[in-house]
Each structure stands twice: as structure tokens, then as C-alpha cells.
Amino acid sequence: MKQGYEKVWSECLAVIRDNVSPNAFSTWFGPIRPVRLNDNILTLQVPSQFFYEWLEEHYIDLLKKTIKKELGPDGRLEYSIVMDNTPSASQPKPYTVHAPTLNKQALKNPPVSIPVDLSRDVKGGGSLPNPFVIPGLKKLNIHPQLIESYNFDNFIQGDCNRLARSAGLAVGQNPGKTSFNPLLVYSGNGLGKTHLVNAIGIEVKNNFPEKTVLYVTAEQFTNQFIDSIRNNNQNDFVHFYQLIDVLIVDDIHCLAGKPKTQDVFFHLFNQLHQTRKQIIITSDTPPVEMSGIEPRLLSRFKWGLSADLQVPDFETRIAILQKKIHNDGVEMPLEVLELISAKIKTSVREMEGALISILAQSSMNKKEITLKLAASVIDKFVKHTPKEITIDYIQQTVCDHLDISLDQLKSKSRKRETVQARQLAMYFSKQYTNSSLSTIGSKCGNRDHATVLHACKAIRNLVDTDKKFKQFVNELDNLIKIM
Ligand code: ADP
Ligand code: MG
């Protein structure tokens, strides 16, 4: 016969199953084990801290609602976390999550399933083989995941990228043997980081075909790691990465607020570095400005060379466009290229976008590419380019509006207005960015995900109950949107 807690949990599961996708159900609810029911507290065992955080972030309202339905208004939930698969696993760490209020909103939001698609972040479309195919994997079988067109031939040199490019070339010719290990390339969006690090990988492959090169985004790395936890094959994950001679991790800042992934990356970094394997990483800021990354990892990033890519000057922007149209086998009057370069200054990616739009307009409407056509396309393009709303931008807008400093917002201060500003920044960050609660928390002065969750609820409650506050939040909302 089933124990009481098992019965309760299986009834909860029946409700949950109706409210989440089958995929999410098996991923996030399959591994949960009920362990006891005492004083209306149902204890659930989850496989890891990460798992617990994920549940709390995405499914807590559903869980609370279900528990209350099964156990009545006093029903509560407690987690017992199995710490990895290490011997300490026998000492689960309990977390108690109270279920005092019911949030009906949560059920309206579709559940999020774990992102594991390796191909989606890689430019050029098409699905790439999952490099994480183990066990018994031969070194030769590892697909480098490099984008062929992102090579050195196509990477235009200019003052903006001289150091990064020549260091990259040196690494490509001597991986693991220069002092540029790790090589960290940083810049703003669309300035060529992904292109340059791919070019290095291709250069290595050309010079040393036997070397194992792998390009991954930090996001893919994280997802593979999560997968390995889920499938209980973390060792395979680590062994796989130990086979790599040249490891390229793009957008390392995406590890912010993910301490477990950082931890595993830290150990991998050390191992690869000690065995003189080459590590290449990119980031949107220099190491000193990276937030949410553990100091020990940051200090490793500073071991080698950090080189930035700056906004290319006018001539370099034209040269980049010329190379691009030449590669595509199309022609375009120089004055049009000049117009694009003059109008779009901050991102090579946007410049290329405008170029493609102009080509598309001309071929669809069978019109010649004239300055006039280009001007109208660029005009629309510049206006319609949706700008990305970032956590930094939100924090700045909130601070400006409330007249407090950014330092204050990120400080430990418990002053009412500071706390409220911080909570507003967290609330809007959750709303407008895809960042996880932990990332948002770490960017708001190293808070944890629970604090962010609490902040979002506090703001929602105030909006629901206080008209004046609601109006204030709307104003701020508009300010953020019109950026
Ligand atoms: P990031 O990774 O920094 O966001 P990308 O590497 O994706 O930027 O570059 C955006 C686009 O701009 C790509 O299509 C890339 O080929 C192009 N690009 C950037 N810098 C250069 C350059 N110096 N020469 C040629 N193309 C470039
Ligand atoms: Mg990139």
C-alpha cells in the first residue's frame, strides 16, 4: 500500500501534469521523490540545488496551489536537496517554502521547458551535431562547431581590432604555447567577438588538423551541464571537455549568477590550463567589470591576455561592407556603402542587417540600388531596430527617475527608498529581460534568486493595492519602453 505522502504526491502530480507540458513534466517533476508528510508539511527530495532553484523560479506557484488543494490551507512544502552525487548526498539540506498565498497569475504563464537545443544559438542555421556524445567517444568525432565563413580572411583589420586580431592569429598558429592563455576578447554587441574566436579555431584546424577544437557558447555549456545533472552523467560531461585541445567559450558573461556551472568551468579551466591546452573566451565587458562571476574564476581570466574590439572607424566599416558584398557576389555603389557606414556606427551586425535589407528591397521590387532606395531602407532600419532592454539600462533608468545613485542601488542599504528602487529594478529586469532570477540578483548587488522573487511579488502586491504606486510604476514602465 502506498504511504500517505506518496498518495498525496501522486495526486499532486496528477494536477501538475494537466498544467505543464509533457516535456517539462518529465524533466522537472519526474525526478522528484516524496519523502515524508509531517504536520501537513510534505517533504520532496530534489536532485540538486539547481533543481530546487529552477522549481522555485518556474513552478512554485503551481506547486503551492496544488499542495493547498491536497493538504488544505495549512499545507506546506519542504525540499530536501541531494547535494550532487558526492558522499554528502546522505545529508540532504532542507529548505522550507511556505505556501501562505495563492498566486493565480502563475498558472496563466506557460511553463518553461529546459533549453537544450544546441543549434539555436549558432549563426548560419541548420542543426549541428551535439558534441556531447558519450561514452566511448573518440577524440576524432568531436565536431568543432565552427562557422566556416567566420575566418581570418573575412575578418577586416583596423585600429579597432589590431591587438585582438594579432593575438588571435598568434594563438591560432601556436595554441597553448603563447602567453595569451586564456585569450579573452571583449566588446559590445555585434563588433566581431564571435567572428574572431571562430577564426582562431579555424586557423588552429588549418595548422594542426589533429587538434581537437570546440566552439561553444557559455549558454550551451551551461545547458549541457544541466543536462548532465539531469541524466546523472556529470563525469562524462567533464571527461568530454577534458579531451579538448582548444576550447572556445563565447559570451562567458552568461555564466553570471550560475555558481555551479562556474564551479565546473573553474575546474575544467585549471585542468586544461595545466596541460597547456588553449582556452579562448569572449565577454561583453573586461574582467574587472564582470559581475556575478566568482573572483577565483575572474582571476584566472586575467592570467592571459584581455583584448578588446572597438567600434571600427569609417574606413574600416566600408572595408567590412565591401568584403561582405564581394563574398556574396553582389555589387553596390560605393556611395551606398558610405551612406550605411555613416548612418550606422555602433554595430557591424546592424550594418550588415541594413546591407541585407537594401539587397532584399532591390531584388524584390526589381529596383536598382540607388542612394535614394538605400536612404529609405536605412531610415526604416535604424528606426525599427529594436533596442535590447538590459538589466544595466533598467537600473540606470530607475536610479535616474528616483534620483539615487547606481552605487546606492547596489549597496546593502536598507533605506526604504533604496530598497524600493532595488526592488523596482529587479521587477522590471524580470519583466523585460530573459535573465534568470540569480543573474538579476547578482547584478543588483549580489542578491540571491529568492530576494529577486520576493521583490517581484512585493512590487506586484503594491501595484495591486496602491493606486498612486501603480501610476508611478506605469510611468517608469513607459520610460523604460521608450528607451
Ligand atoms: P559579437 O560576437 O561581438 O556580437 P559578431 O562576431 O557576431 O559580433 O559580429 C557581427 C557581424 O559583424 C558578423 O557577421 C561578423 O562577421 C561581422 N564583423 C564584425 N567585425 C568584423 C570585421 N572586423 N571584419 C569583418 N566582419 C566583421
Ligand atoms: Mg557573439
Side-chain angles (χ1 to χ4, degrees):
M1 218 191 84
K2 274 194 174 174
Q3 298 283 338
Y5 59 86
E6 287 178 329
K7 189 157 170 289
V8 168
W9 181 236
S10 73
E11 268 151 24
C12 289
L13 280 182
V15 178
I16 291 166
R17 196 192 295 271
D18 288 340
N19 283 288
V20 305
S21 73
N23 201 358
F25 183 82
S26 66
T27 303
W28 297 109
F29 296 94
I32 298 178
R33 298 277 163 266
V35 286
R36 64 180 163 269
L37 177 64
N38 275 345
D39 299 333
N40 261 352
I41 303 174
L42 178 68
T43 306
L44 299 177
Q45 183 178 300
V46 296
S48 64
Q49 168 77 19
F50 173 82
F51 210 97
Y52 152 74
E53 288 182 13
W54 188 279
L55 285 173
E56 201 184 350
E57 183 173 345
H58 298 278
Y59 299 113
I60 193 60
D61 290 310
L62 175 60
L63 276 166
K64 276 183 192 169
K65 186 172 179 164
T66 319
I67 293 288
K68 288 191 87 170
K69 185 163 176 279
E70 293 304 321
L71 294 176
D74 296 334
R76 277 173 37 201
L77 192 59
E78 186 175 282
Y79 294 95
S80 150
I81 297 169
V82 179
M83 304 306 276
D84 285 336
N85 293 312
T86 47
S88 64
S90 54
Q91 301 213 312
K93 193 171 151 195
Y95 280 81
T96 309
V97 179
H98 304 272
T101 52
L102 249 167
N103 185 346
K104 295 190 191 74
Q105 263 236 298
L107 287 175
K108 286 190 212 136
N109 298 330
V112 186
S113 70
I114 185 168
V116 284
D117 183 0
L118 265 170
S119 60
R120 75 204 156 97
D121 209 46
V122 180
K123 275 192 87 177
S127 65
L128 288 165
N130 182 346
F132 184 35
V133 245
I134 356 208
L137 158 115
K138 294 222 177 65
K139 234 181 146 158
L140 284 174
N141 292 345
I142 298 177
H143 189 287
Q145 300 214 88
L146 294 164
I147 302 163
E148 293 296 317
S149 61
Y150 282 176
N151 52 38
F152 272 112
D153 277 349
N154 292 338
F155 192 77
I156 302 294
Q157 183 173 186
D159 287 340
C160 55
N161 58 32
R162 206 171 300 284
L163 173 66
R165 186 183 176 281
S166 54
L169 206 51
V171 166
Q173 286 157 358
N174 256 318
K177 304 232 166 65
T178 66
S179 53
F180 311 146
N181 198 13
L183 174 64
L184 187 151
V185 179
Y186 65 91
S187 79
N189 240 332
L191 290 179
K193 297 181 292 292
T194 299
H195 187 141
L196 179 59
V197 295
N198 269 273
I200 302 171
I202 291 166
E203 185 71 20
V204 172
K205 270 297 188 192
N206 289 342
N207 294 323
F208 310 94
E210 76 289 355
K211 285 213 188 284
T212 308
V213 178
L214 180 69
Y215 166 92
V216 283
T217 62
E219 202 189 342
Q220 290 168 345
F221 184 85
T222 308
N223 291 342
Q224 289 170 353
F225 175 57
I226 294 168
D227 256 7
S228 78
I229 296 178
R230 198 174 66 187
N231 300 327
N232 213 357
N233 58 1
Q234 268 165 280
N235 283 343
D236 292 341
F237 171 84
V238 171
H239 289 149
F240 170 78
Y241 274 94
Q242 284 168 348
L243 294 175
I244 311 294
D245 297 315
V246 177
L247 177 62
I248 304 168
V249 184
D250 205 358
D251 296 326
I252 200 84
H253 52 269
C254 293
L255 295 189
K258 297 179 180 143
K260 285 218 143 186
T261 314
Q262 286 183 34
D263 189 51
V264 79
F265 185 70
F266 175 76
H267 291 293
L268 178 68
F269 184 105
N270 289 343
Q271 252 155 354
L272 292 179
H273 198 272
Q274 266 160 25
T275 46
R276 309 201 65 185
K277 306 292 178 60
Q278 178 72 44
I279 300 153
I280 302 161
I281 49 188
T282 75
S283 156
D284 64 355
T285 52
V288 278
E289 285 169 26
M290 273 187 222
S291 60
I293 303 281
E294 288 179 26
R296 59 178 187 166
L297 201 49
L298 279 184
S299 82
R300 295 296 187 279
F301 293 171
K302 294 176 198 156
W303 277 358
L305 175 76
S306 305
D308 69 334
L309 297 175
Q310 286 165 1
V311 175
D313 57 31
F314 184 72
E315 285 74 21
T316 312
R317 293 206 292 277
I318 297 210
I320 292 173
L321 289 174
Q322 276 171 329
K323 183 82 190 178
K324 180 90 187 139
I325 57 169
H326 175 79
N327 285 349
D328 291 351
V330 291
E331 276 176 34
M332 210 179 263
L334 181 62
E335 53 185 11
V336 170
L337 300 185
E338 284 173 348
L339 184 70
I340 301 176
S341 308
K343 289 269 181 172
I344 304 176
K345 297 182 185 135
T346 52
S347 156
V348 178
R349 185 179 297 130
E350 281 188 20
M351 237 171 41
E352 288 183 352
L355 187 78
I356 293 164
S357 300
I358 293 170
L359 285 171
Q361 276 293 328
S362 110
S363 74
M364 270 188 313
N365 304 329
K366 307 221 163 16
K367 277 192 199 156
E368 212 186 314
I369 299 176
T370 58
L371 208 50
K372 191 165 164 232
L373 174 91
S376 79
V377 172
I378 293 172
D379 208 35
K380 283 197 204 111
F381 192 86
V382 173
K383 277 190 199 131
H384 290 286
T385 307
K387 294 271 186 305
E388 201 195 342
I389 299 182
T390 61
I391 299 179
D392 292 335
Y393 166 76
I394 290 171
Q395 290 180 343
Q396 195 57 59
T397 311
V398 169
C399 285
D400 290 349
H401 200 56
L402 282 156
D403 202 19
I404 71 166
S405 73
L406 205 54
D407 284 343
Q408 216 172 323
L409 182 116
K410 295 185 179 181
S411 73
K412 298 264 172 277
S413 162
R414 300 292 311 157
K415 258 174 75 184
R416 212 182 98 97
E417 57 168 26
T418 312
V419 172
Q420 196 151 76
R422 201 178 292 133
Q423 291 188 331
L424 281 164
M426 290 173 174
Y427 168 81
F428 283 117
S429 300
K430 184 64 199 163
Q431 203 165 324
Y432 283 115
T433 73
N434 286 326
S435 306
S436 69
L437 293 175
S438 359
T439 307
I440 295 171
S442 71
K443 285 211 164 194
C444 281
N446 264 329
R447 262 67 181 192
D448 65 8
H449 71 284
T451 310
V452 181
L453 202 62
H454 172 74
C456 295
K457 282 187 187 153
I459 298 293
R460 270 201 301 268
N461 280 344
L462 261 181
V463 167
D464 286 347
T465 52
D466 182 338
K467 266 197 177 151
K468 255 191 161 165
F469 188 76
K470 182 175 178 171
Q471 199 184 338
F472 176 77
V473 169
N474 281 344
E475 268 170 36
L476 201 50
D477 192 35
N478 286 335
L479 270 179
I480 290 169
K481 277 192 293 209
I482 56 160
M483 67 180 298

